[in-house]
Amino acid sequence: MKLRSKRRRFGQLMIASTFVTAIANFPKRTFAQKKLSPPTPTSSMEASSVSVKLRVNGAEHALEIDPRVTLLDALRERIGLTGTKKGCDHRQCGACTVLVDGRRINSCLTLAVMQAGASITTIEGLAQGDELHPMQAAFIKHDGFQCGYCTPGQICSAVGLLNEGHAKTDDEVRELMSGNICRCGAYPNIVNAIQEARSQQT
Amino acid sequence: MKLFAYTRATEQDVAVNTVSRNQSAKFIGGGTKLLDLMKENVEQPNQLIDINSLPLTKIEVTRNGVRIGAMARNSDVAYNAIIQERYPLLSQALLALCIAATAEHGNSWRKLDAKDALLLLLRHSDAV
């Protein structure tokens, strides 16, 4: 009798402790990983900032930035224009393509300080209010994207391509757009969209 | 990337003197090669002299051939009428070596090895 009641007490204790432990662990389990705290700025980083005025989509932005900040990071992180994407950060994918003085460049491999005074156009600057740029409209009409990640770079690059005026045939379009890669494989539709926009230009 | 001091050159002589006096200073043109290496800490200059404002972009006919300015963009050289007419191989090589955005962005300052060889060939050949 005494042994049975001890076992019962033990069983009750086990159930209670399991229950309490489960409750206590619940808030911890809802986070997949520990939240990282942002890096604290060191004195050398603060001392190294330079003043840069960037003209983006017709608007002036005065920035105090480290000279190492790329144009891509300045556009996305400082100015808040996140339409331009960081795909590889090494000039291999073209997702970061923007237009500087009408020419297409990879914004990941130029410094923001180097583009002071230049007229920068990002994907956000192509439309006129609610009116889409012809290239944007062509991309929609021809379904020139799937996930859309490469698309801002594709469209800016295509606008630059038409400004250059060297691509005429489909093969030439493919060759001169080869700096913009699309993991979803929307290439045939991209070429069709560009050719439509090109035909509308004339 | 290691921190550097950035200046934009307005006079060629000053830019050259600065780089001559400071072993760790580098010119930056398009930046497509140098910045890539700086991101990997392969190149670690303590000073960058931006030479994009210098008037070095001309492609002009000389008595012995053609002079291509150090800051002439690859695509400008490749599509230049004189180059296409007299040195079509150079034009085709530039277009084959560079993808378009780099061609627009990069310039002759940091040359790829194949381009180096081509230009050397052109400079020393009897046809030039």
Side-chain angles (χ1 to χ4, degrees):
Chain A
M1 189 83 168
K2 241 186 169 174
L3 197 58
R4 218 185 300 159
S5 67
K6 270 190 186 164
R7 269 198 229 133
R8 183 188 287 173
R9 186 61 66 205
F10 180 72
Q12 285 168 348
L13 195 63
M14 285 293 105
I15 290 166
S17 68
T18 309
F19 189 63
V20 166
T21 314
I23 299 280
N25 279 337
F26 181 72
K28 289 185 205 163
R29 264 211 294 275
T30 54
F31 297 107
Q33 62 186 82
K34 217 171 80 163
K35 276 199 186 136
L36 297 168
S37 53
T40 50
T42 63
S43 57
S44 66
M45 275 165 68
E46 280 160 10
S48 68
S49 65
V50 293
S51 299
V52 175
K53 274 208 184 82
L54 290 180
R55 202 153 30 101
V56 185
N57 301 330
E60 284 256 335
H61 297 270
L63 306 173
E64 289 285 327
I65 50 171
D66 189 301
R68 292 171 285 186
V69 172
T70 60
L71 177 63
L72 177 63
D73 284 335
L75 289 170
R76 288 180 56 83
E77 310 288 334
R78 308 305 168 111
I79 300 175
L81 292 169
T82 53
T84 313
K85 306 301 181 204
K86 181 179 284 192
C88 68
D89 215 20
H90 280 289
R91 189 209 54 182
Q92 285 171 336
C93 75
C96 65
T97 308
V98 294
L99 296 159
V100 173
D101 295 329
R103 282 184 189 249
R104 45 183 174 157
I105 67 158
N106 293 317
S107 58
C108 68
L109 277 187
T110 186
L111 302 170
V113 291
M114 289 169 65
Q115 302 303 334
S119 175
I120 303 162
T121 308
T122 68
I123 187 69
E124 291 94 342
L126 286 183
Q128 299 291 321
D130 277 341
E131 198 182 309
L132 290 177
H133 188 280
M135 187 60 73
Q136 290 173 305
F139 265 69
I140 291 172
K141 180 178 171 185
H142 290 274
D143 194 26
F145 51 89
Q146 290 182 34
C147 78
Y149 197 75
C150 74
T151 312
Q154 296 278 3
I155 293 176
C156 285
S157 188
V159 172
L161 175 81
L162 294 195
N163 288 346
E164 290 153 26
H166 298 300
K168 303 272 185 313
T169 64
D170 280 4
D171 275 344
E172 284 167 349
V173 170
R174 282 189 205 99
E175 176 67 26
L176 291 177
M177 286 294 294
S178 58
N180 292 86
I181 58 179
C182 171
R183 189 61 182 81
C184 297
Y187 299 112
N189 293 355
I190 291 171
V191 173
N192 292 341
I194 293 171
Q195 291 290 44
E196 161 131 8
R198 196 175 69 82
S199 68
Q200 284 172 1
Q201 233 189 357
T202 48
Chain B
M1 207 189 290
K2 276 193 112 179
L3 190 54
F4 51 83
Y6 169 86
T7 43
R8 196 180 271 201
T10 48
E11 284 171 35
Q12 194 170 326
D13 294 342
V14 173
V16 171
N17 282 339
T18 311
V19 171
S20 311
R21 276 182 284 124
N22 179 1
Q23 289 235 319
S24 181
K26 285 210 183 292
F27 297 121
I28 187 160
T32 51
K33 189 112 171 172
L34 180 59
L35 281 175
D36 208 3
L37 295 172
M38 284 169 70
K39 280 189 182 187
E40 302 293 331
N41 283 322
V42 172
E43 292 280 1
Q44 298 178 356
N46 65 8
Q47 192 174 11
L48 278 187
I49 317 290
D50 184 341
I51 53 173
N52 282 289
S53 304
L54 296 179
L56 298 170
T57 57
K58 278 210 212 100
I59 303 163
E60 47 197 357
V61 177
T62 64
R63 201 163 54 87
N64 298 322
V66 167
R67 164 180 267 130
I68 300 172
M71 291 301 299
R73 289 173 190 270
N74 291 340
S75 62
D76 289 342
V77 176
Y79 290 116
N80 181 276
I82 303 165
I83 301 291
Q84 283 187 322
E85 188 201 322
R86 295 193 190 192
Y87 308 107
L89 180 59
L90 176 60
S91 170
Q92 287 165 35
L94 282 169
L95 291 173
L97 285 168
C98 308
I99 54 176
T102 313
E104 275 297 305
H105 189 181
N107 53 53
S108 306
W109 182 254
R110 290 290 295 227
K111 298 184 190 115
L112 299 170
D113 288 335
K115 266 162 66 182
D116 266 327
L118 263 170
L119 287 166
L120 267 169
L121 188 72
L122 287 165
R123 239 179 270 146
H124 291 106
S125 91
D126 292 336
V128 174

